[in-house]
Amino acid sequence: MAQPVIAVRDLTKVYHLGEVDVHALRGVSLDIHPGEFVALTGASGSGKSTFMHLLGCLDKPTSGDYHLKGRDVSKLSSRTLAEVRNREIGFVFQGFNLLSRTTALENVEVPLLYARVRARERHARAREALDAIGLGERLDHHPNQLSGGQQQRVAIARALVNRPSLLLADEPTGNLDSRTSIEVMGIFQQLNAERGITIVLVTHEHDIAEYATRIVSFRDGRVRSDRPVPVRREASAELVTLVEQMAREELSA
Amino acid sequence: MSLGMTLLVALRALRRNAMRTVLTALGMIIGVSAVIVMVAIGNGARSSIEANIRAVGSNVVNVNAGSFGMGPVRMGAGNTTSLTPEDAAAIREEVPGIRYLSPGVNLRTQIVSEATNWGTQVQGAGPDLAQIRSWSTEFGSFFGEQETRTAAKVAVLGAVVRDELFGPGADPTGAMIRIRNQPFRVIGVLTRKGQAAMGPDQDDTVVIPYTTAQRKLLGITHIQSIMLSAEDGVPLDRVSTSITNLLRIRHNIIGDQDDFMVRTQDEMTSLFTSTTDTMTWLLAGIAAVSLVVGGIGIMNIMLVSVTERTREIGLRLSLGARDVDVLLQFLVEAVVLSLVGGTIGLALGFGASYGVGRVVGWPTLVSSDAILLAFGFSAAIGVFFGFYPARKAARLDPIEALRYE
Ligand SMILES: Nc1ncnc2c1ncn2[C@@H]1O[C@H](COP(=O)(O)OP(=O)(O)OP(=O)(O)O)[C@@H](O)[C@H]1O
Ligand SMILES: [Mg+2]
């Protein structure tokens, strides 16, 4: 088998809250291979977000190893880590985290700014990323002029604009209704299938997890179960039936 | 991120909070314009003084009674009785190269005319004063040897005093005025010289024979000063050395502190200009304090801005910003803020200097030094006061920043 994208061994994370030590992660070992679509589930407080932050090089573990594409992350300088965040990882948040009063296009361009891509290419690539995600018409809209689903799609375009091989999404559908959630999952499945992007997605909704190929379940900072999805849901097919159903309802009304 | 983009991002952030930007920049605007105006006024005063003193003539030497730092008590010029009319006579006799000489006895007092009264400087002088100071008369004439010898109660009025007592442009020759309750006959009015940059108004004066001032007004036999001018081409330092030597002998001074001061006009000039320079820098220094206050305003608003944009910083870090990128972003913002203030302040300072110049009637000079200083200062203040907030931003932990509410 190919080298894993993510290889973690005995990862722990302890937060010190005054006198109290909070053990958010108590020894997690996991391999994720290229092209996998992994859903992380688990109860609130089980350590999913903490784990994602470590995977995204936004935080440092208390102990344990993390190899990203074979590189020991703990040995990288802060400058290199910024570069890794910029080039190799795309991050999608529950709260979208778009820059307000900034157009969709400019939001998507931000990672390219830090990659020092020239203006012309920057515009072209950002436009392309938004086109690919079906927002080509909304380039000049500000976040407050977009729906939640559209905002999340801008955020996805931003995560993808630097062509990372790994996409990390922490409850990306948490703020969306079920139909929009399916649309977003459809985008993830498409990216995973067509571009082979490795995706790690946190969700505490079981039906969302079933769009993935593998479900890793956390409990109390440990991996409780790790299994493939037996019957995978297909977002695109579901969307088609959903649209048909809505059309029928409208006719009968 | 490239510097150009960083600048663009900074400009946008500032435009987004336009009102706040303006208010914050106001500190710099006031500071820079204050410095510019103060330096301009100072420079104007300096050049005006130089012009005035040059007008008096550069061949003038002043002798003043008393000296600074004499004995245990430091006394100002003119407070001792050691200088006498005989000293003046001796100087004229024995020091070669002297053209005109006028003993001086001054007092401030009230001048009373029939209609009104006016407080002014009364100068007791010799008839040579008119030549030494190149004074001509608008009406009547200056007094001569005769009036001086007899201590005649005659007065020559400066233009301002005439305006106050008899009305602008009037010819009061022959009229009577009272000085310390004694009647004086007005025999002339001096041609107007115009306001000096510093010191008393040259036209706000009354000149009477020094003998009259001594005997009729003050009841003294000494004099306070001697003003003299040298023949053309005679080196002034030689004249002043000769006077010093002569007076030391006459006053029996050996090795002690002199009880008089001899100063050439050049020395007077540099004394005055160095005083104005000191004043200028003092005023500019005070104005610079407002620059510092402006800088603190910038620091304050940048700290607010960093706090407000904590989530944005976290986001940028998660998208690949390095800590230097964040540092530069906020630093550039602070420098832009202070430079905007500096530029507006510069324009305002120019305008205000011009306005002040018009009002007080001096030339006010905005020097290129002041402009460079203002720019340098505001950029430096931006960097200095912007650094701490920017570093605070750059040191944020990405996760904590993203979670910040
Ligand atoms: N910055 C922090 N300081 C202190 N404790 C923290 C911090 N971040 C997380 N924790 C604690 O670590 C544990 C794991 O938190 P984490 O956010 O990873 O959970 P989660 O699985 O993402 O939960 P949720 O589903 O609610 O998002 C929790 O007990 C939480 O209180
Ligand atoms: Mg979480």
mmCIF file of all heavy atoms in Angstrom, chain A residues 49-88:
data_model
loop_
_atom_site.group_PDB
_atom_site.id
_atom_site.type_symbol
_atom_site.label_atom_id
_atom_site.label_comp_id
_atom_site.label_asym_id
_atom_site.label_seq_id
_atom_site.Cartn_x
_atom_site.Cartn_y
_atom_site.Cartn_z
ATOM 1 N N SER A 49 -12.331 17.788 17.524
ATOM 2 C CA SER A 49 -11.768 19.050 17.027
ATOM 3 C C SER A 49 -10.299 19.166 17.398
ATOM 4 O O SER A 49 -9.476 19.620 16.592
ATOM 5 C CB SER A 49 -12.540 20.235 17.602
ATOM 6 O OG SER A 49 -13.852 20.241 17.111
ATOM 7 N N THR A 50 -9.984 18.752 18.603
ATOM 8 C CA THR A 50 -8.586 18.782 19.033
ATOM 9 C C THR A 50 -7.715 17.995 18.067
ATOM 10 O O THR A 50 -6.644 18.443 17.638
ATOM 11 C CB THR A 50 -8.475 18.182 20.449
ATOM 12 O OG1 THR A 50 -9.356 18.891 21.309
ATOM 13 C CG2 THR A 50 -7.059 18.280 20.964
ATOM 14 N N PHE A 51 -8.211 16.823 17.691
ATOM 15 C CA PHE A 51 -7.477 15.963 16.772
ATOM 16 C C PHE A 51 -7.320 16.639 15.401
ATOM 17 O O PHE A 51 -6.236 16.631 14.811
ATOM 18 C CB PHE A 51 -8.231 14.625 16.644
ATOM 19 C CG PHE A 51 -7.506 13.606 15.819
ATOM 20 C CD1 PHE A 51 -6.224 13.184 16.180
ATOM 21 C CD2 PHE A 51 -8.087 13.056 14.687
ATOM 22 C CE1 PHE A 51 -5.551 12.235 15.414
ATOM 23 C CE2 PHE A 51 -7.410 12.114 13.923
ATOM 24 C CZ PHE A 51 -6.146 11.704 14.292
ATOM 25 N N MET A 52 -8.403 17.254 14.946
ATOM 26 C CA MET A 52 -8.349 17.937 13.648
ATOM 27 C C MET A 52 -7.336 19.083 13.658
ATOM 28 O O MET A 52 -6.627 19.310 12.683
ATOM 29 C CB MET A 52 -9.734 18.504 13.305
ATOM 30 C CG MET A 52 -10.729 17.441 12.953
ATOM 31 S SD MET A 52 -10.303 16.629 11.407
ATOM 32 C CE MET A 52 -11.282 17.605 10.293
ATOM 33 N N HIS A 53 -7.279 19.812 14.778
ATOM 34 C CA HIS A 53 -6.326 20.929 14.857
ATOM 35 C C HIS A 53 -4.891 20.418 14.776
ATOM 36 O O HIS A 53 -4.033 21.050 14.169
ATOM 37 C CB HIS A 53 -6.542 21.728 16.143
ATOM 38 C CG HIS A 53 -7.877 22.415 16.178
ATOM 39 N ND1 HIS A 53 -8.537 22.670 17.358
ATOM 40 C CD2 HIS A 53 -8.666 22.865 15.175
ATOM 41 C CE1 HIS A 53 -9.688 23.278 17.078
ATOM 42 N NE2 HIS A 53 -9.790 23.404 15.766
ATOM 43 N N LEU A 54 -4.675 19.248 15.382
ATOM 44 C CA LEU A 54 -3.329 18.672 15.300
ATOM 45 C C LEU A 54 -3.040 18.240 13.870
ATOM 46 O O LEU A 54 -1.961 18.500 13.329
ATOM 47 C CB LEU A 54 -3.212 17.480 16.252
ATOM 48 C CG LEU A 54 -3.331 17.824 17.746
ATOM 49 C CD1 LEU A 54 -3.210 16.550 18.583
ATOM 50 C CD2 LEU A 54 -2.263 18.815 18.145
ATOM 51 N N LEU A 55 -4.042 17.596 13.229
ATOM 52 C CA LEU A 55 -3.855 17.171 11.842
ATOM 53 C C LEU A 55 -3.572 18.380 10.941
ATOM 54 O O LEU A 55 -2.788 18.299 10.007
ATOM 55 C CB LEU A 55 -5.104 16.442 11.328
ATOM 56 C CG LEU A 55 -5.442 15.089 11.942
ATOM 57 C CD1 LEU A 55 -6.591 14.440 11.171
ATOM 58 C CD2 LEU A 55 -4.225 14.158 11.939
ATOM 59 N N GLY A 56 -4.237 19.500 11.258
ATOM 60 C CA GLY A 56 -4.089 20.690 10.419
ATOM 61 C C GLY A 56 -2.875 21.524 10.756
ATOM 62 O O GLY A 56 -2.695 22.611 10.219
ATOM 63 N N CYS A 57 -2.035 21.014 11.668
ATOM 64 C CA CYS A 57 -0.824 21.739 12.070
ATOM 65 C C CYS A 57 -1.149 23.110 12.660
ATOM 66 O O CYS A 57 -0.361 24.054 12.556
ATOM 67 C CB CYS A 57 0.135 21.929 10.893
ATOM 68 S SG CYS A 57 0.662 20.401 10.169
ATOM 69 N N LEU A 58 -2.325 23.227 13.246
ATOM 70 C CA LEU A 58 -2.682 24.483 13.899
ATOM 71 C C LEU A 58 -2.299 24.431 15.364
ATOM 72 O O LEU A 58 -2.341 25.427 16.065
ATOM 73 C CB LEU A 58 -4.188 24.734 13.778
ATOM 74 C CG LEU A 58 -4.681 25.050 12.364
ATOM 75 C CD1 LEU A 58 -6.200 24.963 12.299
ATOM 76 C CD2 LEU A 58 -4.215 26.430 11.953
ATOM 77 N N ASP A 59 -1.966 23.254 15.851
ATOM 78 C CA ASP A 59 -1.664 23.080 17.268
ATOM 79 C C ASP A 59 -0.626 21.965 17.396
ATOM 80 O O ASP A 59 -0.415 21.197 16.457
ATOM 81 C CB ASP A 59 -2.956 22.705 18.007
ATOM 82 C CG ASP A 59 -2.926 23.191 19.437
ATOM 83 O OD1 ASP A 59 -1.851 23.628 19.903
ATOM 84 O OD2 ASP A 59 -3.983 23.118 20.094
ATOM 85 N N LYS A 60 0.041 21.925 18.542
ATOM 86 C CA LYS A 60 1.070 20.899 18.736
ATOM 87 C C LYS A 60 0.595 19.876 19.763
ATOM 88 O O LYS A 60 0.001 20.252 20.776
ATOM 89 C CB LYS A 60 2.354 21.566 19.251
ATOM 90 C CG LYS A 60 2.948 22.539 18.252
ATOM 91 C CD LYS A 60 4.468 22.405 18.216
ATOM 92 C CE LYS A 60 5.032 22.714 16.855
ATOM 93 N NZ LYS A 60 5.408 24.106 16.646
ATOM 94 N N PRO A 61 0.863 18.596 19.509
ATOM 95 C CA PRO A 61 0.440 17.580 20.478
ATOM 96 C C PRO A 61 1.299 17.638 21.740
ATOM 97 O O PRO A 61 2.414 18.151 21.715
ATOM 98 C CB PRO A 61 0.664 16.266 19.727
ATOM 99 C CG PRO A 61 1.731 16.578 18.746
ATOM 100 C CD PRO A 61 1.547 18.012 18.361
ATOM 101 N N THR A 62 0.756 17.140 22.848
ATOM 102 C CA THR A 62 1.534 17.061 24.077
ATOM 103 C C THR A 62 2.583 15.964 23.945
ATOM 104 O O THR A 62 3.713 16.108 24.376
ATOM 105 C CB THR A 62 0.603 16.781 25.276
ATOM 106 O OG1 THR A 62 -0.444 17.751 25.259
ATOM 107 C CG2 THR A 62 1.347 16.860 26.583
ATOM 108 N N SER A 63 2.170 14.851 23.329
ATOM 109 C CA SER A 63 3.158 13.810 23.021
ATOM 110 C C SER A 63 2.665 12.998 21.835
ATOM 111 O O SER A 63 1.515 13.125 21.419
ATOM 112 C CB SER A 63 3.367 12.899 24.243
ATOM 113 O OG SER A 63 2.223 12.094 24.424
ATOM 114 N N GLY A 64 3.516 12.145 21.321
ATOM 115 C CA GLY A 64 3.138 11.313 20.184
ATOM 116 C C GLY A 64 3.704 11.836 18.881
ATOM 117 O O GLY A 64 4.253 12.930 18.824
ATOM 118 N N ASP A 65 3.561 11.021 17.843
ATOM 119 C CA ASP A 65 4.122 11.335 16.531
ATOM 120 C C ASP A 65 3.034 11.674 15.539
ATOM 121 O O ASP A 65 1.964 11.081 15.557
ATOM 122 C CB ASP A 65 4.853 10.103 15.968
ATOM 123 C CG ASP A 65 6.234 9.984 16.558
ATOM 124 O OD1 ASP A 65 6.696 10.981 17.147
ATOM 125 O OD2 ASP A 65 6.820 8.901 16.431
ATOM 126 N N TYR A 66 3.355 12.582 14.669
ATOM 127 C CA TYR A 66 2.452 12.850 13.548
ATOM 128 C C TYR A 66 3.302 13.021 12.293
ATOM 129 O O TYR A 66 4.091 13.948 12.197
ATOM 130 C CB TYR A 66 1.611 14.101 13.853
ATOM 131 C CG TYR A 66 0.790 14.607 12.680
ATOM 132 C CD1 TYR A 66 0.381 13.756 11.645
ATOM 133 C CD2 TYR A 66 0.401 15.933 12.626
ATOM 134 C CE1 TYR A 66 -0.378 14.225 10.592
ATOM 135 C CE2 TYR A 66 -0.366 16.426 11.567
ATOM 136 C CZ TYR A 66 -0.742 15.556 10.543
ATOM 137 O OH TYR A 66 -1.482 16.024 9.485
ATOM 138 N N HIS A 67 3.138 12.094 11.379
ATOM 139 C CA HIS A 67 3.804 12.215 10.087
ATOM 140 C C HIS A 67 2.788 12.592 9.028
ATOM 141 O O HIS A 67 1.793 11.889 8.846
ATOM 142 C CB HIS A 67 4.501 10.903 9.697
ATOM 143 C CG HIS A 67 5.785 10.695 10.437
ATOM 144 N ND1 HIS A 67 5.810 10.272 11.742
ATOM 145 C CD2 HIS A 67 7.077 10.871 10.053
ATOM 146 C CE1 HIS A 67 7.082 10.190 12.141
ATOM 147 N NE2 HIS A 67 7.872 10.557 11.141
ATOM 148 N N LEU A 68 3.042 13.708 8.373
ATOM 149 C CA LEU A 68 2.176 14.132 7.275
ATOM 150 C C LEU A 68 2.931 13.876 5.981
ATOM 151 O O LEU A 68 3.998 14.457 5.759
ATOM 152 C CB LEU A 68 1.839 15.621 7.430
ATOM 153 C CG LEU A 68 0.995 16.257 6.329
ATOM 154 C CD1 LEU A 68 -0.429 15.720 6.362
ATOM 155 C CD2 LEU A 68 0.988 17.774 6.465
ATOM 156 N N LYS A 69 2.393 12.987 5.148
ATOM 157 C CA LYS A 69 3.067 12.585 3.907
ATOM 158 C C LYS A 69 4.518 12.195 4.181
ATOM 159 O O LYS A 69 5.432 12.577 3.450
ATOM 160 C CB LYS A 69 3.057 13.736 2.906
ATOM 161 C CG LYS A 69 1.703 13.969 2.265
ATOM 162 C CD LYS A 69 1.855 15.157 1.356
ATOM 163 C CE LYS A 69 0.854 15.200 0.251
ATOM 164 N NZ LYS A 69 1.092 16.383 -0.566
ATOM 165 N N GLY A 70 4.717 11.484 5.273
ATOM 166 C CA GLY A 70 6.054 10.981 5.583
ATOM 167 C C GLY A 70 6.941 11.967 6.315
ATOM 168 O O GLY A 70 8.041 11.623 6.738
ATOM 169 N N ARG A 71 6.480 13.220 6.491
ATOM 170 C CA ARG A 71 7.316 14.203 7.182
ATOM 171 C C ARG A 71 6.897 14.326 8.637
ATOM 172 O O ARG A 71 5.710 14.460 8.946
ATOM 173 C CB ARG A 71 7.170 15.579 6.522
ATOM 174 C CG ARG A 71 8.012 15.726 5.287
ATOM 175 C CD ARG A 71 8.303 17.190 5.029
ATOM 176 N NE ARG A 71 7.105 17.879 4.530
ATOM 177 C CZ ARG A 71 7.119 19.149 4.141
ATOM 178 N NH1 ARG A 71 8.235 19.859 4.209
ATOM 179 N NH2 ARG A 71 6.031 19.715 3.694
ATOM 180 N N ASP A 72 7.879 14.289 9.524
ATOM 181 C CA ASP A 72 7.595 14.443 10.951
ATOM 182 C C ASP A 72 7.277 15.915 11.236
ATOM 183 O O ASP A 72 8.150 16.777 11.191
ATOM 184 C CB ASP A 72 8.815 13.998 11.768
ATOM 185 C CG ASP A 72 8.515 14.022 13.260
ATOM 186 O OD1 ASP A 72 7.452 14.542 13.639
ATOM 187 O OD2 ASP A 72 9.356 13.505 14.027
ATOM 188 N N VAL A 73 6.012 16.176 11.520
ATOM 189 C CA VAL A 73 5.547 17.555 11.679
ATOM 190 C C VAL A 73 6.218 18.257 12.859
ATOM 191 O O VAL A 73 6.490 19.458 12.816
ATOM 192 C CB VAL A 73 4.007 17.563 11.828
ATOM 193 C CG1 VAL A 73 3.522 18.932 12.269
ATOM 194 C CG2 VAL A 73 3.356 17.171 10.519
ATOM 195 N N SER A 74 6.528 17.492 13.899
ATOM 196 C CA SER A 74 7.100 18.113 15.102
ATOM 197 C C SER A 74 8.485 18.686 14.824
ATOM 198 O O SER A 74 8.985 19.506 15.579
ATOM 199 C CB SER A 74 7.174 17.086 16.234
ATOM 200 O OG SER A 74 8.149 16.108 15.920
ATOM 201 N N LYS A 75 9.100 18.256 13.703
ATOM 202 C CA LYS A 75 10.446 18.749 13.397
ATOM 203 C C LYS A 75 10.436 19.968 12.473
ATOM 204 O O LYS A 75 11.491 20.458 12.089
ATOM 205 C CB LYS A 75 11.259 17.624 12.728
ATOM 206 C CG LYS A 75 11.469 16.434 13.641
ATOM 207 C CD LYS A 75 12.886 15.899 13.517
ATOM 208 C CE LYS A 75 13.252 14.972 14.652
ATOM 209 N NZ LYS A 75 12.412 13.727 14.654
ATOM 210 N N LEU A 76 9.224 20.420 12.096
ATOM 211 C CA LEU A 76 9.155 21.516 11.140
ATOM 212 C C LEU A 76 9.159 22.873 11.848
ATOM 213 O O LEU A 76 8.576 23.031 12.912
ATOM 214 C CB LEU A 76 7.888 21.395 10.274
ATOM 215 C CG LEU A 76 7.778 20.092 9.464
ATOM 216 C CD1 LEU A 76 6.489 20.069 8.665
ATOM 217 C CD2 LEU A 76 8.981 19.901 8.551
ATOM 218 N N SER A 77 9.821 23.840 11.213
ATOM 219 C CA SER A 77 9.838 25.195 11.769
ATOM 220 C C SER A 77 8.467 25.835 11.588
ATOM 221 O O SER A 77 7.654 25.372 10.800
ATOM 222 C CB SER A 77 10.879 26.035 11.036
ATOM 223 O OG SER A 77 10.484 26.233 9.701
ATOM 224 N N SER A 78 8.238 26.925 12.323
ATOM 225 C CA SER A 78 6.921 27.559 12.241
ATOM 226 C C SER A 78 6.687 28.102 10.833
ATOM 227 O O SER A 78 5.575 28.138 10.330
ATOM 228 C CB SER A 78 6.804 28.682 13.273
ATOM 229 O OG SER A 78 7.534 29.802 12.848
ATOM 230 N N ARG A 79 7.771 28.491 10.200
ATOM 231 C CA ARG A 79 7.668 28.986 8.833
ATOM 232 C C ARG A 79 7.220 27.883 7.875
ATOM 233 O O ARG A 79 6.335 28.070 7.049
ATOM 234 C CB ARG A 79 9.056 29.504 8.433
ATOM 235 C CG ARG A 79 9.074 30.364 7.219
ATOM 236 C CD ARG A 79 10.521 30.505 6.744
ATOM 237 N NE ARG A 79 10.529 31.156 5.459
ATOM 238 C CZ ARG A 79 10.837 32.438 5.291
ATOM 239 N NH1 ARG A 79 11.191 33.172 6.322
ATOM 240 N NH2 ARG A 79 10.786 32.981 4.110
ATOM 241 N N THR A 80 7.836 26.699 8.036
ATOM 242 C CA THR A 80 7.465 25.569 7.190
ATOM 243 C C THR A 80 6.036 25.120 7.495
ATOM 244 O O THR A 80 5.287 24.739 6.597
ATOM 245 C CB THR A 80 8.431 24.392 7.401
ATOM 246 O OG1 THR A 80 9.752 24.921 7.511
ATOM 247 C CG2 THR A 80 8.363 23.413 6.263
ATOM 248 N N LEU A 81 5.658 25.185 8.769
ATOM 249 C CA LEU A 81 4.303 24.795 9.138
ATOM 250 C C LEU A 81 3.286 25.696 8.448
ATOM 251 O O LEU A 81 2.250 25.230 7.972
ATOM 252 C CB LEU A 81 4.122 24.884 10.658
ATOM 253 C CG LEU A 81 4.703 23.708 11.447
ATOM 254 C CD1 LEU A 81 4.551 23.937 12.941
ATOM 255 C CD2 LEU A 81 4.008 22.413 11.038
ATOM 256 N N ALA A 82 3.608 27.013 8.404
ATOM 257 C CA ALA A 82 2.707 27.941 7.712
ATOM 258 C C ALA A 82 2.591 27.544 6.251
ATOM 259 O O ALA A 82 1.511 27.566 5.665
ATOM 260 C CB ALA A 82 3.230 29.369 7.841
ATOM 261 N N GLU A 83 3.718 27.117 5.683
ATOM 262 C CA GLU A 83 3.710 26.713 4.291
ATOM 263 C C GLU A 83 2.883 25.438 4.089
ATOM 264 O O GLU A 83 2.132 25.318 3.120
ATOM 265 C CB GLU A 83 5.155 26.475 3.847
ATOM 266 C CG GLU A 83 5.406 26.821 2.409
ATOM 267 C CD GLU A 83 6.881 26.662 2.097
ATOM 268 O OE1 GLU A 83 7.645 27.542 2.538
ATOM 269 O OE2 GLU A 83 7.257 25.655 1.465
ATOM 270 N N VAL A 84 3.010 24.508 5.048
ATOM 271 C CA VAL A 84 2.239 23.272 4.971
ATOM 272 C C VAL A 84 0.744 23.587 5.031
ATOM 273 O O VAL A 84 -0.050 23.077 4.230
ATOM 274 C CB VAL A 84 2.632 22.323 6.130
ATOM 275 C CG1 VAL A 84 1.628 21.186 6.271
ATOM 276 C CG2 VAL A 84 4.034 21.766 5.894
ATOM 277 N N ARG A 85 0.367 24.460 5.974
ATOM 278 C CA ARG A 85 -1.045 24.854 6.082
ATOM 279 C C ARG A 85 -1.525 25.498 4.787
ATOM 280 O O ARG A 85 -2.653 25.343 4.373
ATOM 281 C CB ARG A 85 -1.219 25.870 7.219
ATOM 282 C CG ARG A 85 -1.069 25.288 8.604
ATOM 283 C CD ARG A 85 -1.673 26.218 9.631
ATOM 284 N NE ARG A 85 -0.850 27.401 9.879
ATOM 285 C CZ ARG A 85 -0.008 27.508 10.902
ATOM 286 N NH1 ARG A 85 0.118 26.514 11.762
ATOM 287 N NH2 ARG A 85 0.695 28.592 11.065
ATOM 288 N N ASN A 86 -0.619 26.228 4.182
ATOM 289 C CA ASN A 86 -0.974 26.964 2.978
ATOM 290 C C ASN A 86 -1.110 26.059 1.751
ATOM 291 O O ASN A 86 -2.042 26.200 0.969
ATOM 292 C CB ASN A 86 0.089 28.043 2.741
ATOM 293 C CG ASN A 86 -0.264 28.960 1.603
ATOM 294 O OD1 ASN A 86 0.438 29.032 0.609
ATOM 295 N ND2 ASN A 86 -1.381 29.661 1.740
ATOM 296 N N ARG A 87 -0.169 25.103 1.602
ATOM 297 C CA ARG A 87 -0.091 24.349 0.342
ATOM 298 C C ARG A 87 -0.727 22.969 0.404
ATOM 299 O O ARG A 87 -1.252 22.487 -0.575
ATOM 300 C CB ARG A 87 1.375 24.153 -0.066
ATOM 301 C CG ARG A 87 2.197 25.393 -0.105
ATOM 302 C CD ARG A 87 1.972 26.139 -1.393
ATOM 303 N NE ARG A 87 2.561 27.468 -1.298
ATOM 304 C CZ ARG A 87 3.719 27.804 -1.849
ATOM 305 N NH1 ARG A 87 4.389 26.914 -2.539
ATOM 306 N NH2 ARG A 87 4.178 29.026 -1.725
ATOM 307 N N GLU A 88 -0.591 22.323 1.565
ATOM 308 C CA GLU A 88 -0.922 20.899 1.576
ATOM 309 C C GLU A 88 -2.263 20.596 2.221
ATOM 310 O O GLU A 88 -2.777 19.499 2.073
ATOM 311 C CB GLU A 88 0.181 20.132 2.306
ATOM 312 C CG GLU A 88 1.545 20.629 1.868
ATOM 313 C CD GLU A 88 2.610 19.573 1.925
ATOM 314 O OE1 GLU A 88 2.324 18.481 2.436
ATOM 315 O OE2 GLU A 88 3.719 19.861 1.459
#
